Amino acid sequence: MNIDISILKPFEKWFHINKRLKIAYGGRGGGKSESIARLLIAKSFYIDGIILCAREVQKSIAHSTYPLLISIIKELDLEKYFIIKKTEIINTITNCKFLFLGIRECFINEIKSIYNIKICFIEEAQTMTQYSYEILEPSIRADSSEIWFAFNPRYETDFLYSLVSKFELKDMTYYDKQNKEYYYKEYEDNNILITFINFDGNYYFSDILNKSRLSTQDLIPKMYNHIWLGEIKKSVGKVFIYSKLKFYNSIIDLSNLKAIVDPAFGEHNCFTSVIVYKQINEKVYLLDAGLIRNDCNSTTDESITNFLIEFNINEIYCEGNFVQKELIKRLERNFTVNTFYVYKNKYERIYNASYEIYDRVYFPISWTKIPSGNNIDDWLKTTDGRGYIALRQLLNFSDISDNHNNRNDVFSYLDFPDALSSLIYFGLNDSSLDNTNNKELNFYDALFGD
């Protein structure tokens, strides 16, 4: 069978040689995801087993490699060779099956139970934690099995970047038919193959992406090297800017409200944060944000219940890490509790959620206004006062960890930003987003996608 699938020159080696780990990284426009998706389709004609396409977090099948694979199959007129189901793709020649999952949503036994995984591809691997890697790596154990990664570098502390940065990559070039030169870097040993590639290594780099690159150069030049040249982010201070946040000033329907609970573990340097919100399609409207501490009058679960009772909330989300089983058991007396588990550093989680917060979260405009008069202490106990504290915590959040959690300064704490990031990752129903054709591409998608 002769099937022609064009692949960028730097990735041809990925097809022909076997390595336990293959890692592609670099700036936007390097063609990593597209090239690897094409490689996987080509490999499926030679593999009798499973190709597992995974992410750290996969909210739905639309957030996986699934749509890209289908578009390439259709583009190459290969549909007659594949059975395309709602959650999997099967090559009818070899019975090779593509499966899709989110590592964080799975237990280790679920991954182990998938028999004969020949290739596991981790997309958006910059968010992968060491914990997830330690679960995944020994679970991919078929003969000659490989684990592939693709990511855009973010921070030097990211797990995968901390691994690849230890290797010295070699400068490489290739030429097109017009003798134009393209650049990439490579490292190879018996176990690993690393490919670093930017837009100037991508023969197929499009005009529309080039316009996006040039607009980045004009509008946010400080981010250019990070976005397009694959350099890690530098510490720049404040992450959230007031002018970029979204606010609303109208009454919304108060039915079907939900809440997310981020329990506190420290006695003096943190609060239990509770956020009340309503999701309308892809927009999230915040209504209240309580910061709760144990006191002599009530237990934590009683304080949370008393805080939420006026909102007629039935369903809440609560972090279940560490010693929260008893708290969750008590909350279940009054609410349906959806438990989530966080394995990622809270600073990193807030950074990651920042773009979604800018894009989707709406804050009450009343949270920004301080009343005149002398009753500020009483006002801080109201909905608007609590919201003001929460918003100040968000706007004070920086990418320099030393700036946070100053004792006796409630505005420097991380409680609200941490809970808000958990809301983004665990508290939203994204079923309305599955139809990606109807979702408007926003500015940050255009700049920061691969």
Side-chain angles (χ1 to χ4, degrees), residues 257-316:
L257 301 182
K258 296 181 181 179
I260 194 158
V261 178
D262 184 4
F265 303 108
E267 183 179 353
H268 298 295
N269 65 343
C270 58
F271 295 83
T272 288
S273 182
V274 183
I275 300 175
V276 179
Y277 66 97
K278 183 180 181 74
Q279 182 180 357
I280 302 177
N281 296 323
E282 57 197 89
K283 297 177 181 178
V284 183
Y285 295 87
L286 305 190
L287 281 86
D288 209 335
L291 298 176
I292 296 168
R293 274 185 171 157
N294 292 334
D295 57 37
C296 58
N297 298 317
S298 60
T299 60
T300 301
D301 64 288
E302 290 171 339
S303 297
I304 294 170
T305 301
N306 291 336
F307 176 73
L308 295 177
I309 198 166
E310 64 179 282
F311 295 102
N312 296 317
I313 288 173
N314 297 315
E315 182 179 14
I316 68 174

Side-chain angles (χ1 to χ4, degrees), residues 20-283:
R20 175 59 174 173
L21 300 178
K22 293 177 180 175
I23 303 172
Y25 74 108
R28 186 168 191 259
K32 300 180 295 297
S33 294
E34 176 85 13
S35 296
I36 290 174
R38 289 172 179 268
L39 279 167
L40 293 175
I41 291 169
K43 281 283 191 180
S44 74
F45 287 92
Y46 298 87
I47 290 175
D48 179 13
I50 300 294
I51 296 176
L52 176 62
C53 299
R55 288 188 173 201
E56 177 76 4
V57 175
Q58 181 180 296
K59 297 179 181 178
S60 70
I61 195 73
H63 291 85
S64 70
T65 316
Y66 177 87
L68 177 59
L69 291 168
I70 292 175
S71 69
I72 294 172
I73 288 169
K74 291 180 178 179
E75 173 204 330
L76 299 176
D77 196 24
L78 298 175
E79 293 168 274
K80 59 187 175 184
Y81 300 118
F82 291 92
I83 299 172
I84 298 174
K85 298 184 177 182
K86 287 185 177 180
T87 59
E88 61 187 38
I89 302 170
I90 302 170
N91 187 309
T92 58
I93 305 299
T94 60
N95 288 321
C96 177
K97 183 183 295 186
F98 291 85
L99 298 179
F100 308 86
L101 60 76
I103 299 169
R104 188 183 295 173
E105 290 86 16
C106 291
F107 294 104
I108 185 169
N109 288 335
E110 292 181 63
I111 300 173
K112 285 183 177 179
S113 67
I114 303 175
Y115 174 69
N116 203 24
I117 299 173
K118 291 299 182 69
I119 297 176
C120 176
F121 168 46
I122 313 298
E123 192 180 20
E124 302 290 345
Q126 67 270 15
T127 64
M128 189 176 199
T129 63
Q130 182 173 349
Y131 176 88
S132 294
Y133 179 81
E134 290 172 353
I135 288 177
L136 181 74
E137 199 281 333
S139 301
I140 311 302
R141 50 193 175 181
D143 290 343
S144 301
S145 58
E146 300 183 347
I147 306 176
W148 297 7
F149 300 92
F151 73 98
N152 292 11
R154 299 175 313 164
Y155 308 103
E156 61 183 350
T157 55
D158 285 343
F159 170 67
L160 205 57
Y161 181 81
S162 69
L163 291 183
V164 299
S165 61
K166 298 174 183 177
F167 296 97
E168 185 174 346
L169 276 63
K170 181 180 176 182
D171 290 330
M172 308 287 286
T173 58
Y174 71 97
Y175 298 87
D176 64 14
K177 293 179 181 179
Q178 287 73 43
N179 211 35
K180 181 179 178 181
E181 193 172 18
Y182 295 87
Y183 309 92
Y184 66 103
K185 295 183 179 183
E186 187 176 273
Y187 172 84
E188 181 182 0
D189 62 27
N190 291 333
N191 190 53
I192 189 169
L193 175 63
I194 302 174
T195 304
F196 176 86
I197 188 167
N198 293 321
F199 72 93
D200 56 357
N202 182 3
Y203 171 80
Y204 300 102
F205 189 64
S206 66
D207 288 339
I208 189 66
L209 278 176
N210 195 46
K211 289 178 181 178
S212 179
R213 180 183 70 84
L214 294 173
S215 70
T216 305
Q217 213 165 28
D218 292 337
L219 297 173
I220 44 176
K222 290 183 179 179
M223 293 293 289
Y224 180 84
N225 286 1
H226 167 63
I227 297 170
W228 292 99
L229 301 183
E231 294 185 6
I232 59 172
K233 283 186 179 179
K234 305 295 192 296
S235 294
V236 295
K238 296 292 189 293
V239 172
F240 295 93
I241 301 171
Y242 177 84
S243 61
K244 291 186 177 181
L245 298 179
K246 291 179 168 62
F247 294 92
Y248 72 97
N249 191 25
S250 59
I251 298 174
I252 63 174
D253 179 13
L254 298 182
S255 63
N256 299 318
L257 301 182
K258 296 181 181 179
I260 194 158
V261 178
D262 184 4
F265 303 108
E267 183 179 353
H268 298 295
N269 65 343
C270 58
F271 295 83
T272 288
S273 182
V274 183
I275 300 175
V276 179
Y277 66 97
K278 183 180 181 74
Q279 182 180 357
I280 302 177
N281 296 323
E282 57 197 89
K283 297 177 181 178

